Amino acid sequence: MAVLFRSSFVKINFGEYSCTLWNSNLRLKSSTVLPQNQLHKAENTPQRDPLDLSFENTKDAFKSKTTWELFRAFLVLKLSTYSYLVENHEKLIAQGKKILGPSLFKFLMKHTFYGHFVAGEDAKSIKPLLDRLRSFGVKSILDYSAEEDMSEDQAKEAMKKAKLSSQATSDPGELKKYKPYEKFADRRKYRVKARTYFYLSEAQCEKNMVTFLKSIDAVAGSTASTGFAAIKLTALGRPQLLMQLSEVIARTRKYFKEVTGVASENMVAQQVTPSTFATKLEYHKIKTDNEEVKKWLQNMDYDRKGVLPSVLLMNMFCWSGLVDLNFVMSDLFKVPNLQSGRMEPIITALNPDEEEMFQNMMRRLHHIAQNAREKDVRVMIDAEQSYFQPAINRITMEMMRKYNKKKAIIFNTYQCYLKEAYNNVVLDLELARRQGFFFGAKLVRGAYMEQERIRAQEVGYEDPINPTYGVTSEMYHKTLSEMLRQIVEDIQAGNEKRIGVMVATHNEDTIRFAVKKMEELGIKPEHKVVCFGQLLGMCDQVSFLLGQAGYSVYKYVPYGPIDEVLPYLSRRALENHSLLTKVDKELRLLRKELLLRIAQGKFFYKPKGNYLPI
C-alpha cells in the first residue's frame, strides 16, 4: 500500500513576526507510489501530537530525556523530599567540598543537582540542550544564575552602604513600607524563590549589565530569535533608589486623591482632563496662572495622542523624561503645596551623587534594551519585592513605550499573589492602548510570600499578599481572563494583535484553565499571543506535552559556573520540598517511565525530536 502526500504552505503573521507552516494531508491509496523527494519532505514535516490535559502521558512527556536523565531526575527530586537533607543542605555542601575536594565535588554536582536544574556553564556549553529542547517543541528563557556568596552580616553591611542620604533618618514616617530595615537587609531570607542582587558598587552594576548583554547574545545565537533574556533591575543600580521611587508613586497617588477628592487613587481610571485637574487646584486656592505651576501642569504626562477634550491624565509626572534622562528627580518630583501654594518636593531630594547613580541605572537599562532590539531578542524584566515593585513597574512601562513600538521587546512580570495585581494589569493595559505600544506580560504567582508577610507584620503596614493560595489562584485566573478578553477583542475587530501573555506556572489546574479558555474564546496557538513557561528540570510533563501539541512553551533555563549557581540550586531544593504534592506526581510519572524503559531494554535510548516550536 502506498501513501499519497498533499501539502500546502500557510503564512501566519503577528506584527513583525511571521512564520510559514507546512500543512499536510495524508490519505491512503493502493496504486500510487510516493516519489522520493516527497518522502523526504514527509519525514521532515514537523510533528504535532494531541494534547493530554491530564498530563499523565509519560512516554511523550519524557521522550526528550535519555534513560540516565530520567534516573537522575528521579534521584534529585526524591532527595528533595527528605527534610533532613533539605534543612541541612548548606552544611552538607560545605562538608562535601571539604571531603571530596573541588574536582570530585564538581563532578558529583554536574551529574546530579547541577546537571538536572542548570543547562551548563556558558553560552557555548548550553547550546546542545537548547537545540534539543527546540527539537521537542520547547523554547528558552536564558538566565545567567551566578550569585554572590554573601553572609547575612555582609548583606546588612551592603544595605548600610547603599542607604540613601534621605533614608538616614531613624523616623520611617507615614509610608514605612518604603524604608530600609536592617532586619530585612538580607533579602534572601524567609524562603525566597528568586535570585537576589546586593549593591556592592557601580562597577559591579556594570559587570551585571555585561552579564545580561552576554545572555542576550546567547539567546540571539542559540534560539533563532524565539527566546527571552531575563533581567532584574536591582542588579543595575542601588535598590534603595527603587524604594525611593516607589515611595514617590505612593505619595503621588495620595496627593492626586487629596486634590481631586475622588475615591480612587488610580489616575487613569478616573479619566481626568488637564482642565479638570487645574480647576481642582484652583478650588484649593492654587494659582494656576503662576509660571511654576503652569509649567508643572504642562509637563504632566497626558494622553497626547488624543484630541481635546478627550486628552486625559496618565501620570502626574513625566516619567518618560526621567527614564530617558531628560530630568533629574529633584527637579521633576515637585507639586504645589496645598497650604502655601508654593512648588515643593514631594519627597526628600537625592544628593548629586545619588542622582548620578539613578542615571547610571537607566543608562544600563537602555543599553540592554537597545541591544535586545537590535538582535531581535525579548527581555523579561522580573518582578521583585512589593516595596520595589511600583518603581520597577513604572520604569518597565516607560521602557515598553519606547521600545515596543513595532513589536514586544520588553515584557513586564506581574505577581498574582499581590492584592493589587489585577488592578495593575488593567491599568497598564489601558496605558498601552492609549499610547499604542505592544504590551507583553508574564503572569506568576509570586516568589517572596513568606518574607513579605513577616516584613509587613513586623514593620506595621498592610499585608500586600492575598490571604490564601485559593484567592491567589482566583486572582491569576481573573487577570489572565481579562487579558485574553482584550486579545479576542483585537482579533475580532481585525486589529493588530498588540497584547501578549506568558502563563508562567507549574500549576496544572491553571494550565488547563488557560488552554480551555483559549479554546472557548477561539484563541489559537498560531495567533502567537499566549505562551506558557516553566523552570528547567521541573514540570516536564506539562512543558513538553504542550510544546509537542503545538502550543508556545518556554523553559526558564539557568546557566553559570557550578560554584556560583549553588544559591540557585539551594532555592530549587527548598521549593521542591515545599511542594511535596506536585513532586509526588512527578516522581510517580518518572518511576513509571523508568520501569517501562527498563522493561523494553531502552537503557541507551537517544532522544530525537521532530517538532517545530510555534
Side-chain angles (χ1 to χ4, degrees):
M1 183 177 287
V3 181
L4 178 64
F5 182 77
R6 299 188 302 184
S7 61
S8 63
F9 285 106
V10 178
K11 189 79 170 180
I12 295 177
N13 291 292
F14 168 50
E16 291 269 306
Y17 301 111
S18 67
C19 69
T20 304
L21 302 182
W22 183 270
N23 286 351
S24 63
N25 184 24
L26 292 172
R27 64 185 175 88
L28 303 178
K29 189 173 182 179
S30 59
S31 59
T32 307
V33 177
L34 187 67
Q36 194 64 31
N37 64 337
Q38 290 188 20
L39 177 63
H40 178 72
K41 288 180 181 178
E43 289 174 346
N44 287 280
T45 302
Q47 189 174 339
R48 286 285 181 267
D49 299 338
L51 178 59
D52 169 26
L53 280 177
S54 71
F55 303 113
E56 293 277 349
N57 186 333
T58 61
K59 180 181 178 182
D60 287 345
F62 300 123
K63 63 185 175 184
S64 66
K65 293 184 179 294
T66 65
T67 303
W68 155 249
E69 288 169 338
L70 275 180
F71 174 75
R72 181 181 66 192
F74 182 83
L75 174 66
V76 166
L77 293 181
K78 186 65 177 176
L79 289 174
S80 298
T81 65
Y82 293 109
S83 298
Y84 177 81
L85 294 178
V86 173
E87 291 168 4
N88 296 280
H89 71 276
E90 291 180 346
K91 294 178 182 177
L92 293 172
I93 286 173
Q95 291 174 0
K97 284 181 179 180
K98 187 176 180 180
I99 295 170
L100 297 175
S103 299
L104 193 54
F105 177 78
K106 286 183 178 180
F107 177 85
L108 178 64
M109 292 300 294
K110 202 167 187 177
H111 289 83
T112 52
F113 285 87
Y114 179 90
H116 181 67
F117 289 116
V118 182
E121 298 207 18
D122 51 39
K124 183 179 179 181
S125 64
I126 67 176
K127 195 172 186 310
L129 176 63
L130 301 187
D131 290 342
R132 197 202 314 177
L133 290 175
R134 186 173 174 80
S135 72
F136 283 92
V138 175
K139 296 169 284 188
S140 303
I141 303 171
L142 297 191
D143 181 18
Y144 188 77
S145 296
E147 298 184 29
E148 292 288 335
D149 188 10
M150 182 182 290
S151 69
E152 184 175 349
D153 287 339
Q154 288 173 319
K156 289 180 179 179
E157 189 62 30
M159 188 203 77
K160 288 179 183 177
K161 290 181 179 178
K163 190 179 288 186
L164 304 178
S165 57
S166 60
Q167 296 170 333
T169 175
S170 59
D171 179 16
E174 181 186 5
L175 295 171
K176 57 183 72 174
K177 177 178 181 177
Y178 303 108
K179 305 296 181 183
Y181 300 93
E182 185 174 323
K183 180 173 181 178
F184 299 97
D186 189 350
R187 291 178 279 115
R188 300 166 300 183
K189 289 180 67 177
Y190 309 112
R191 295 187 180 273
V192 165
K193 298 177 184 177
R195 177 178 42 177
T196 301
Y197 286 94
F198 295 97
Y199 180 82
L200 301 177
S201 65
E202 289 297 291
Q204 182 61 48
C205 294
E206 289 291 318
K207 289 180 181 178
N208 293 338
M209 179 191 71
V210 171
T211 297
F212 292 146
L213 292 173
K214 288 180 179 177
S215 288
I216 290 170
D217 290 340
V219 171
S222 307
T223 67
S225 296
T226 62
F228 285 85
I231 73 167
K232 279 183 178 284
L233 288 197
T234 50
L236 300 176
R238 289 169 79 169
Q240 281 77 5
L241 290 165
L242 298 173
M243 196 180 288
Q244 180 94 320
L245 286 173
S246 293
E247 184 177 352
V248 166
I249 292 169
R251 290 189 181 279
T252 303
R253 289 171 178 168
K254 289 173 70 68
Y255 182 84
F256 172 80
K257 187 175 179 180
E258 189 176 356
V259 169
T260 59
V262 296
S264 171
E265 297 174 354
N266 188 330
M267 294 179 215
V268 175
Q270 297 303 315
Q271 299 192 342
V272 175
T273 64
S275 59
T276 301
F277 195 78
T279 301
K280 295 288 185 181
L281 284 173
E282 289 169 357
Y283 173 80
H284 289 277
K285 307 287 192 287
I286 304 297
K287 297 179 180 179
T288 55
D289 57 350
N290 175 282
E291 283 302 314
E292 272 194 298
V293 175
K294 188 187 296 185
K295 184 178 179 181
W296 176 70
L297 287 169
Q298 289 171 347
N299 284 335
M300 281 185 177
D301 193 0
Y302 296 104
D303 178 11
R304 300 185 190 280
K305 288 191 175 183
V307 178
L308 287 171
S310 65
V311 175
L312 302 172
L313 178 65
M314 293 195 298
N315 285 291
M316 198 174 293
F317 302 113
C318 183
W319 281 85
S320 60
L322 182 69
V323 171
D324 287 344
L325 309 180
N326 297 326
F327 295 107
V328 296
M329 288 193 210
S330 55
D331 291 339
L332 182 64
F333 296 132
K334 291 182 178 181
V335 296
N337 184 300
L338 296 185
Q339 277 71 49
S340 67
R342 293 192 299 269
M343 295 294 296
E344 296 179 357
I346 199 169
I347 198 168
T348 306
L350 302 179
N351 66 38
D353 288 342
E354 292 164 348
E355 292 275 13
E356 184 179 353
M357 287 177 184
F358 177 76
Q359 292 191 330
N360 287 340
M361 180 190 280
M362 292 301 99
R363 174 183 53 77
R364 294 174 191 124
L365 185 57
H366 280 296
H367 193 169
I368 290 167
Q370 289 162 3
N371 191 266
R373 182 171 62 184
E374 289 167 6
K375 295 181 178 176
D376 199 17
V377 171
R378 285 160 288 177
V379 174
M380 189 76 73
I381 297 180
D382 282 341
E384 305 196 44
Q385 283 90 345
S386 64
Y387 44 88
F388 295 137
Q389 198 54 43
I392 292 172
N393 190 71
R394 181 72 260 134
I395 291 168
T396 302
M397 288 299 292
E398 293 304 330
M399 297 299 286
M400 281 193 201
R401 194 197 301 205
K402 184 176 181 68
Y403 294 99
N404 287 12
K405 293 177 180 176
K406 294 183 178 179
K407 62 170 69 172
I409 296 293
I410 306 296
F411 276 63
N412 201 3
T413 303
Y414 296 88
Q415 300 181 104
C416 291
Y417 69 6
L418 293 176
K419 295 174 182 176
E420 291 298 314
Y422 175 79
N423 291 337
N424 288 340
V425 170
V426 170
L427 167 64
D428 290 347
L429 283 166
E430 176 66 12
L431 288 172
R433 184 189 64 79
R434 287 194 195 176
Q435 289 295 304
F437 58 82
F438 285 78
F439 179 77
K442 177 177 73 169
L443 299 184
V444 300
R445 277 178 167 75
Y448 309 96
M449 183 178 72
E450 187 174 339
Q451 183 189 99
E452 292 272 17
R453 288 200 192 283
I454 293 171
R455 189 179 190 269
Q457 183 178 7
E458 297 203 9
V459 173
Y461 57 86
E462 182 185 351
D463 185 350
I465 308 297
N466 287 318
T468 66
Y469 185 85
V471 175
T472 292
S473 292
E474 290 175 10
M475 176 77 77
Y476 196 118
H477 295 175
K478 179 182 178 181
T479 304
L480 175 60
S481 296
E482 176 59 23
M483 292 196 71
L484 296 180
R485 184 191 68 78
Q486 294 200 28
I487 286 170
V488 168
E489 283 185 355
D490 285 342
I491 293 173
Q492 291 177 343
N495 298 330
E496 190 174 23
K497 295 181 281 293
R498 288 179 167 265
I499 301 171
V501 58
M502 175 178 284
V503 184
T505 179
H506 293 178
N507 186 295
E508 292 183 4
D509 290 334
T510 295
I511 298 290
R512 280 187 280 268
F513 175 87
V515 170
K516 290 176 181 177
K517 200 72 177 175
M518 288 173 67
E519 292 174 353
E520 175 190 322
L521 296 173
I523 300 173
K524 299 178 181 179
E526 304 92 78
H527 286 135
K528 296 185 177 181
V529 290
V530 181
C531 59
F532 299 85
Q534 290 83 38
L535 293 168
L536 183 71
M538 298 175 71
C539 216
D540 286 347
Q541 77 276 10
V542 168
S543 304
F544 287 97
L545 292 182
L546 284 170
Q548 289 157 194
Y551 288 84
S552 178
V553 182
Y554 288 86
K555 278 291 192 185
Y556 205 93
V557 179
Y559 69 103
I562 293 176
D563 287 337
E564 296 179 33
V565 299
L566 288 177
Y568 174 84
L569 295 175
S570 172
R571 288 196 301 276
R572 296 289 74 78
L574 290 169
E575 182 173 3
N576 281 321
H577 186 66
S578 67
L579 299 172
L580 289 178
T581 303
K582 181 187 74 63
V583 173
D584 281 347
K585 176 174 181 177
E586 291 192 44
L587 286 170
R588 175 173 59 80
L589 297 177
L590 287 164
R591 184 188 297 112
K592 177 183 175 182
E593 184 60 20
L594 262 175
L595 292 174
L596 283 173
R597 295 261 186 104
I598 292 169
Q600 295 167 0
K602 294 182 178 179
F603 300 102
F604 303 103
Y605 167 78
K606 292 183 179 180
K608 185 179 180 181
N610 186 35
Y611 298 87
L612 181 66
I614 196 74

